[in-house]
Amino acid sequence: MSLDQNAYLGREPLGKLLRSFSVPCVLSLLVSSLYNIVDQIFIGNSELGYLGNAATGVAFPLIMISLAFAWCVGDGSAAYLSLCQGRGDTQRAHHCVGSGITVLFCAGVLLSAAGLIWQEPLLRLFGASDATITMAMEYLTILLWVLPLYMLSNLTNGIIRADGNPKYAMAATIAGAGVNLILDPIFIFALHWGIKGAAWATVLGQLVSFFLNSLYLRRPKTFRLEKASFLPHWKVFWAAVQLGISTFITQISVVVVALVCNVMLFHYGTLSVYGPDIPISVISIETKVFTIVINLVVGVVLGGQPILGYNYGARRYDRVRGAYRLILRLTLAVGVVSTLIFELCPQIIIGIFGQGDPLYWEFATMTFRIFLSLVTFTCFIKMTSIFFQAVGAPVKATAASLIRDLLCFVPLAVLLPRRFGIQGILFAAPAADLIAMVVATALTMGFFRQLNAQEARPQALEETPSVIRPSHPGPIVTIARQHGTAGKAIGRQVAQALGVACYDKELAALAARESGLHREFLDHLEGPVEDRLHDLYLSTTVAHHGILAQAEIIRKIADAGSCVLVGRAADYVLRDRADVVSVFLHAPKDDRVRKIMEMYGDNADQAAGHLKRSDAARGAYYKRISGGVWEDARNYTLCLDASSGVDTTAEAILAYLQLKE
């Protein structure tokens, strides 16, 4: 990776950038939606009618659970593969992909077996009635036999995109959806296979996508799979999975919402004139239509992520605001147009999915007009969540993502029907949208106020030289250190004795100059914050830019000759070089607390807290870039207790270098 390869994100017109990134995302997500919607269109227009759609609707939560696992491993592996590409780590790259394939396949087999064994009670739990249970079991049984391969197809599709071939990934998805689209009418209408025909059309489409994705993995661009790749490498696998946890949480929240909705609709539908099957059939249709609307928004915002992340890291806040306004306008346009359609002519949308009796039409019209009445707010909430992920605010992103579904809709869907009957479930959605909209707006306004304050704050003068100084062949010493071990002073003393440069803060200054990112932002990557929050922060788009920029400048400095590098996981970045001596400095906690008190004037409690946060942040940074444990002695050439003082520790490092010669 070249340090300036992303610089165009700070120069090119925002509209042009957003189009180039968002259009492929939108198309890919819309094609993916076809898998979920095509079956219901053909089923609804067949002799199965709305009961057939209700049967597929109660099978939906189990499929979404499998996708939660698939997307967690897939998104995590794709993000980890991108990190491996940035640091030139081909070894971990193929272990990441191979381990993900093996573990996910085993998980798919277990999920499939569990679904087959406990199929009827699960479908009853998800809202199947006596009228739909047989069809639901016929449909789900066929899907479950191919479930492991369907999960792998979703995993490998993400890997292909991360490998730099999003067009192939989209083509594989389109091919599968096309097969499903062609076979549905043949199997359902021509061969009269009913709901089994819909299931077979779906799984054959899934198999086509799986085959094409698997074919690509024979010759990927950035890694090579071997037999050993498929032996689970747990350290790498868990590091990758952690990057996909947010996807898993979001997807599971969708499952919870669908499950609660089906259960409540079944219960209160039984007590109403509509019965249990009409409400579940209608809500199943609504969910698929709603997914298309949301995928339009998600595609736009995901396309904007690299633009937002880079410009936020470069402190080009005018471009952050400009990109946000563009994305907001597109989001609101999608929401407003969708609302007008759902309010003014819901029958057109409903009619696409087949006909029904007067009660079916009554409930379907009511559902679209009430349940989706504030879909514009829903679009804004989803956009806000992804926006915060892009600019390095993961806590805000999580809050915006979960508050609508888990904290608002689920409780309201349980409580409101007690007073308003089945209509209470429908009103739960706009009520949740309204509450979550207020929260998302408040979070957004707070973020931009903070942005304005940062922009108005006078910038410190750049005092750190930002040039790579000429050197000569010799040892490259990397120093990782616990806070309070005087690692900077020790590094400078070693460098002075060797007659070479010592790089500490200079690393961030150099990376800032050559990447276009801002020095203050790069300094913050290893800053002292809470461990849990730092882990979340380092998983965001903007932090990803900074981590790769600093790793690349470390390689450039090392290529210039002998030097001393302090911090920034330099030992891992340069692990393949024979001329590197990696040092880890530690000391007893009491000794480090005392030194921090002397340096900063803190009391004992303040110093201990500062020490804990700094060490946690350094550990999180090291883990994010390497997947390893920062304080593990096996990662280093030399581990020293620095409590003996700066001079003694520096002399020990120099003595080792002499022995090594």
Side-chain angles (χ1 to χ4, degrees):
M1 167 185 127
S2 170
L3 271 175
D4 61 354
Q5 75 169 33
N6 288 325
Y8 73 99
L9 295 172
R11 296 192 305 262
E12 294 288 333
L14 292 171
K16 176 183 176 183
L17 285 172
L18 191 61
R19 282 193 300 273
S20 65
F21 281 102
S22 293
V23 169
C25 286
V26 170
L27 290 176
S28 181
L29 288 169
L30 287 180
V31 170
S32 297
S33 301
L34 287 177
Y35 273 125
N36 293 325
I37 202 169
V38 166
D39 281 354
Q40 293 210 269
I41 292 175
F42 286 111
I43 289 171
N45 284 281
S46 72
E47 59 188 14
L48 301 172
Y50 71 82
L51 289 177
N53 277 334
T56 61
V58 296
F60 180 68
L62 191 57
I63 302 303
M64 294 307 292
I65 290 171
S66 70
L67 283 177
F69 286 99
W71 289 346
C72 174
V73 179
D75 287 2
S77 296
Y80 193 85
L81 181 60
S82 297
L83 284 173
C84 289
Q85 292 165 355
R87 61 198 184 210
D89 187 352
T90 57
Q91 187 70 14
R92 277 190 167 90
H94 78 84
H95 277 307
C96 165
V97 177
S99 298
I101 289 173
T102 300
V103 175
L104 189 64
F105 179 77
C106 293
V109 171
L110 291 174
L111 280 172
S112 182
L116 290 169
I117 293 169
W118 294 295
Q119 188 174 170
E120 183 169 355
L122 284 172
L123 289 172
R124 292 285 187 184
L125 175 66
F126 297 156
S129 68
D130 291 338
T132 60
I133 187 64
T134 301
M135 284 190 292
M137 291 178 67
E138 290 177 347
Y139 182 78
L140 185 60
T141 298
I142 296 170
L143 265 60
L144 287 174
W145 282 111
V146 189
L147 186 66
L149 300 184
Y150 176 53
M151 293 171 68
L152 287 184
S153 182
N154 281 274
L155 162 65
T156 52
N157 203 261
I159 293 295
I160 293 168
R161 288 195 300 271
D163 194 51
N165 210 330
K167 290 182 180 179
Y168 187 97
M170 185 170 66
T173 304
I174 290 174
V179 168
N180 188 22
L181 182 63
I182 293 168
L183 294 181
D184 257 326
I186 295 173
F187 290 170
I188 295 174
F189 298 111
L191 299 180
H192 301 287
W193 288 2
I195 202 161
K196 288 184 179 180
W200 277 114
T202 297
V203 299
L204 289 173
Q206 292 168 357
L207 287 173
V208 168
S209 294
F210 170 76
F211 173 76
L212 292 174
N213 288 334
S214 301
L215 199 63
Y216 178 90
L217 293 182
R218 295 177 62 190
R219 294 180 180 275
K221 295 179 180 179
T222 60
F223 61 92
R224 287 291 178 268
L225 291 175
E226 309 162 358
K227 288 183 180 179
S229 305
F230 298 98
L231 294 174
H233 195 294
W234 295 108
K235 185 177 179 181
V236 171
F237 175 75
W238 287 119
V241 165
Q242 289 176 45
L243 297 173
I245 287 295
S246 61
T247 302
F248 180 80
I249 293 172
T250 301
Q251 194 63 20
I252 285 297
S253 72
V254 173
V255 175
V256 172
V257 168
L259 178 58
V260 170
C261 208
N262 279 3
V263 169
M264 299 305 292
L265 286 171
F266 182 89
H267 176 72
Y268 285 97
T270 304
L271 302 176
S272 72
V273 296
Y274 305 108
D277 296 318
I278 286 176
I280 289 177
S281 174
V282 169
I283 213 68
S284 176
I285 294 170
E286 176 277 327
T287 299
K288 306 306 186 298
V289 174
F290 174 74
T291 299
I292 291 178
V293 174
I294 289 299
N295 279 350
L296 284 170
V297 173
V298 170
V300 170
V301 192
L302 284 178
Q305 269 196 338
I307 306 166
L308 292 163
Y310 178 85
N311 285 286
Y312 183 78
R315 288 184 66 99
R316 296 175 184 174
Y317 296 149
D318 57 327
R319 288 179 66 83
V320 174
R321 294 189 193 91
Y324 178 85
R325 285 193 293 268
L326 275 176
I327 293 168
L328 178 61
R329 283 200 289 268
L330 290 169
T331 297
L332 294 179
V334 170
V336 169
V337 170
S338 301
T339 303
L340 290 174
I341 293 172
F342 298 151
E343 295 298 322
L344 299 178
C345 48
Q347 296 87 353
I348 295 176
I349 304 297
I350 300 162
I352 294 173
F353 294 87
Q355 303 299 311
D357 58 31
L359 285 175
Y360 171 83
W361 279 100
E362 179 183 319
F363 189 83
T365 302
M366 184 170 59
T367 296
F368 273 77
R369 284 179 171 163
I370 297 175
F371 204 86
L372 297 176
S373 59
L374 295 183
V375 71
T376 304
F377 287 8
T378 318
C379 292
F380 176 79
I381 295 159
K382 179 59 71 174
M383 172 204 136
T384 301
S385 175
I386 301 174
F387 168 76
F388 282 134
Q389 180 71 13
V391 296
V395 176
K396 290 185 176 69
T398 303
S401 176
L402 297 183
I403 190 168
R404 189 259 182 194
D405 291 335
L406 294 186
L407 299 183
C408 295
F409 176 79
V410 170
L412 288 170
V414 173
L415 295 174
L416 291 182
R418 297 180 180 181
R419 175 67 178 82
F420 302 103
I422 197 168
Q423 285 191 347
I425 303 170
L426 305 183
F427 280 110
D433 286 330
L434 182 60
I435 297 169
M437 178 70 177
V438 172
V439 174
T441 302
L443 290 172
T444 303
M445 292 175 64
F447 172 81
F448 280 108
R449 279 198 298 268
Q450 184 182 19
L451 205 68
N452 294 336
Q454 288 177 350
E455 197 171 37
R457 189 176 68 233
Q459 298 299 303
L461 294 175
E462 181 60 72
E463 298 177 354
T464 305
S466 55
V467 293
I468 298 176
R469 281 158 275 183
S471 189
H472 52 76
I476 297 170
V477 181
T478 67
I479 297 179
R481 75 284 185 215
Q482 290 181 325
H483 189 49
T485 55
K488 298 175 188 176
I490 293 168
R492 285 193 292 268
Q493 192 157 318
V494 171
Q496 186 176 6
L498 295 175
V500 299
C502 177
Y503 297 88
D504 174 27
K505 294 294 185 183
E506 294 89 345
L507 292 176
L510 284 162
R513 188 195 69 182
E514 297 203 22
S515 69
L517 298 170
H518 197 271
R519 159 74 182 278
E520 184 180 346
F521 157 69
L522 292 173
D523 277 335
H524 180 66
L525 288 176
E526 231 184 14
V529 296
E530 293 295 338
D531 183 30
R532 177 178 60 84
L533 300 184
H534 208 74
D535 277 336
L536 285 171
Y537 172 67
L538 291 176
S539 69
T540 59
T541 306
V542 62
H544 182 70
H545 284 307
I547 290 171
L548 295 185
Q550 293 190 128
E552 183 63 17
I553 202 64
I554 286 170
R555 293 191 192 95
K556 282 194 171 187
I557 293 170
D559 288 340
S562 181
C563 59
V564 176
L565 298 161
V566 181
R568 295 324 196 259
D571 61 283
Y572 180 80
V573 175
L574 303 176
R575 65 197 177 284
D576 294 328
R577 295 182 63 115
D579 53 356
V580 172
V581 173
S582 55
V583 179
F584 183 78
L585 303 178
H586 60 92
K589 181 180 177 180
D590 290 344
D591 182 80
R592 293 190 289 136
V593 167
R594 179 178 54 78
K595 285 184 179 178
I596 293 170
M597 292 170 64
E598 292 172 358
M599 291 173 62
Y600 301 108
D602 293 345
N603 60 37
D605 289 339
Q606 290 171 331
H610 194 64
L611 180 152
K612 180 181 178 182
R613 290 190 297 273
S614 293
D615 283 355
R618 290 171 185 176
Y621 186 93
Y622 192 90
K623 182 179 180 182
R624 182 59 59 205
I625 195 171
S626 71
V629 179
W630 170 60
E631 294 176 304
D632 188 343
R634 292 172 295 181
N635 295 330
Y636 304 97
T637 310
L638 191 62
C639 292
L640 296 171
D641 186 338
S643 60
S644 55
V646 172
D647 294 340
T648 303
T649 308
E651 288 170 4
I653 296 172
L654 292 167
Y656 178 83
L657 294 175
Q658 288 179 346
L659 287 172
K660 194 172 182 290
E661 291 178 357

